[in-house]
Amino acid sequence: MAKQYLSGGGNPFGVTPAPSVFNPNPPDDLISRQGEPAIWIRAIPKIGEVDETKMAIPGSESQLYRIERYRRMPTETLNPIFYDGNIVQTKYGPISKIRSLKVFRNDDFGGNFNLSIESFEHNRIKLKPNIEFQEYYQLDCDYDIESFTKFENVPFIQEEDGYLLHPVQEDIIVIVDSVWRERLDKSGYDEIGFKYDFTKISCETVAEAGRRYLLNYVTFSPIKIGYKTIDTKDARLAEKMIDVQSGDIDIVVGSGLNISKDDILIPLRTLRTEKEILEKDKKGRYPVKYSPLREIVAVYTDSIEYEDFWIEDSRYVRINSSTLPERIVCVYQYNPRYSIMPDTTASALAERIQPRKYIGRINQTRLDLGRIFRESIYRSVATE
């Protein structure tokens, strides 16, 4: 899933398996609208012990993990409703690269041709003038988007009394650099302490609704997937030549995603609950076995039940106490992770590449997802 700028123009006659003027690629559109958001982590074979690329931390002895900074979208037929002179708009953004902008025209009128681009920003593309282009021609755009979006000094107004800020809807928060709150006399802003997780920023002090803030943070746009669990009645379990186990999942992703073996997918709306004894690390944190950690339900010792606790870096439990016990019992919820198996299915229909099908298996590798996000955002990119 990318940031969606445009809506509307959908098919009022329902989803069909064949493209139409209302819906040029129905399966991709269905996944985009109704699929579950998920984090896609690319697994890369480790080159050797001396590796200075610093793409991400090792998840095991043989793998490095990174998150793609740029993601190719399925080829989109642009909607002429949103044309404005020489400005056209894609449904998703922010655009990082345009691979092609192709006009389809009857051979009797000269055949297909490509448009030249003057500039692009967010989801808007400014075309170079071309007298051959007419708005009623079919215009297909093959483009990439940015997975991460950085916001600097973005104004935000607190919606409810309290200490919680919700600056995102569909994307997830991966880094918060600073939070500035307007003074009561409106003479300026003061930097305040905060904590954050995927969906919210928690200020250290409460404020009333309507209070103004300046936020500096980075968000990530998840992909969309469809999936279902393979149960014990699945006929593939009896096939000796097929590596399928009960509890694996069938996964369907959009046609533009080049997912490969050993990559990890994390569905973000699926939650599982775990009870675990956690040990304190050198920084006073309590790392959990299963991550990303989404919610802390309860924290106990043999004699104390803690009420002031929070999540750090999607992997650690923090508690507010003058003395920190060496071990705690924590009940928490997390998103399950699945590794992609080699088996995959590709297909095409009506001259369109269709969504791809994979098998996913539960993955329990200990991953520092917060660090993977940071190093995926800030790693060096080779240039000529």
Side-chain angles (χ1 to χ4, degrees):
M1 178 177 65
K3 183 177 180 180
Q4 183 169 337
Y5 287 82
L6 302 179
S7 60
N11 184 355
F13 304 108
V15 175
T16 63
S20 69
V21 294
F22 299 103
N23 196 350
N25 202 344
D28 271 332
D29 183 63
L30 186 63
I31 293 172
S32 175
R33 288 186 291 108
Q34 300 186 14
E36 179 167 343
I39 298 171
W40 167 30
I41 302 176
R42 173 80 76 189
I44 304 171
K46 192 175 180 182
I47 297 172
E49 293 299 321
V50 181
D51 187 353
E52 299 177 353
T53 57
K54 295 183 179 179
M55 288 183 293
I57 65 170
S60 67
E61 291 300 318
S62 60
Q63 297 285 352
L64 293 169
Y65 292 104
R66 62 178 278 188
I67 292 175
E68 301 287 355
R69 292 173 60 180
Y70 308 106
R71 189 160 69 236
R72 189 172 185 175
M73 301 302 292
T75 299
E76 179 183 333
T77 299
L78 303 188
N79 194 330
I81 294 175
F82 301 106
Y83 292 176
D84 181 14
N86 64 336
I87 302 291
V88 298
Q89 299 183 60
T90 58
K91 188 174 183 179
Y92 298 102
I95 299 171
S96 63
K97 177 181 180 180
I98 298 176
R99 297 172 179 267
S100 69
L101 201 56
K102 187 174 183 179
V103 178
F104 289 84
R105 182 176 58 179
N106 192 293
D107 289 341
D108 294 339
F109 295 94
N112 305 336
F113 62 96
N114 292 310
L115 293 178
S116 297
I117 299 162
E118 185 171 311
S119 62
F120 58 84
E121 184 179 14
H122 303 304
N123 74 317
R124 299 169 65 86
I125 304 170
K126 186 176 182 180
L127 306 174
K128 290 183 178 180
N130 189 320
I131 60 174
E132 293 187 81
F133 177 58
Q134 302 294 326
E135 290 189 357
Y136 52 82
Y137 289 154
Q138 179 180 326
L139 177 58
D140 279 11
C141 185
D142 184 1
Y143 65 104
D144 296 1
I145 63 158
E146 298 179 16
S147 298
F148 298 97
T149 305
K150 187 173 184 179
F151 297 89
E152 295 182 340
N153 293 323
V154 175
F156 183 82
I157 299 176
Q158 187 166 334
E159 297 174 347
E160 298 178 352
D161 293 347
Y163 58 92
L164 298 180
L165 308 179
H166 298 275
V168 297
Q169 294 182 347
E170 294 187 335
D171 289 357
I172 62 174
I173 302 169
V174 293
I175 292 176
V176 179
D177 292 318
S178 63
V179 176
W180 296 77
R181 178 188 285 163
E182 188 178 38
R183 301 186 188 113
L184 288 172
D185 62 5
K186 302 187 184 301
S187 62
Y189 288 79
D190 293 319
E191 188 172 7
I192 62 172
F194 61 89
K195 308 174 186 71
Y196 67 93
D197 58 29
F198 283 168
T199 60
K200 63 184 180 295
I201 299 173
S202 303
C203 302
E204 288 189 350
T205 56
V206 299
E208 69 285 352
R211 199 71 171 272
R212 295 180 180 274
Y213 294 80
L214 294 176
L215 306 179
N216 293 275
Y217 61 102
V218 180
T219 62
F220 170 73
S221 296
I223 66 171
K224 282 287 191 76
I225 66 172
Y227 72 95
K228 68 173 183 177
T229 302
I230 298 174
D231 58 31
T232 55
K233 298 180 181 179
D234 195 294
R236 288 172 293 177
L237 296 175
E239 296 289 337
K240 294 182 179 180
M241 300 301 293
I242 301 178
D243 184 12
V244 177
Q245 300 176 7
S246 179
D248 290 350
I249 60 173
D250 283 318
I251 302 171
V252 179
V253 301
S255 60
L257 297 176
N258 53 350
I259 291 173
S260 58
K261 177 181 176 292
D262 294 329
D263 287 359
I264 292 175
L265 290 178
I266 306 174
L268 291 173
R269 290 180 184 159
T270 302
L271 293 174
R272 293 185 177 179
T273 303
E274 180 70 15
K275 289 181 285 188
E276 186 181 349
I277 297 174
L278 308 180
E279 294 190 0
K280 183 179 66 174
D281 67 9
K282 294 180 180 179
K283 296 183 178 181
R285 307 172 300 184
Y286 299 88
V288 299
K289 181 178 181 181
Y290 301 110
S291 64
L293 171 60
R294 297 302 302 275
E295 183 176 352
I296 303 171
V297 179
V299 177
Y300 308 92
T301 63
D302 290 341
S303 57
I304 301 174
E305 180 177 353
Y306 294 92
E307 295 183 353
D308 191 358
F309 43 73
W310 65 92
I311 298 169
E312 183 175 300
D313 254 359
S314 306
R315 184 188 178 196
Y316 302 98
V317 175
R318 284 276 200 178
I319 59 176
N320 185 16
S321 176
S322 57
T323 57
L324 298 177
E326 291 299 317
R327 306 173 82 191
I328 60 173
V329 176
C330 183
V331 183
Y332 63 91
Q333 291 187 309
Y334 67 97
N335 297 124
R337 300 195 306 264
Y338 296 92
S339 291
I340 297 298
M341 304 298 291
D343 183 36
T344 180
T345 302
S347 63
L349 178 67
E351 298 184 353
R352 295 271 183 171
I353 300 298
Q354 295 302 299
R356 295 164 178 164
K357 181 179 177 182
Y358 301 87
I359 293 175
R361 180 161 298 166
I362 198 72
N363 178 289
Q364 297 182 356
T365 302
R366 286 184 179 267
L367 291 180
D368 190 338
L369 189 57
R371 185 175 172 187
I372 291 175
F373 272 124
R374 288 191 296 273
E375 296 198 0
S376 295
I377 294 169
Y378 297 121
R379 71 178 184 270
S380 299
V381 178
T383 57
E384 295 182 358

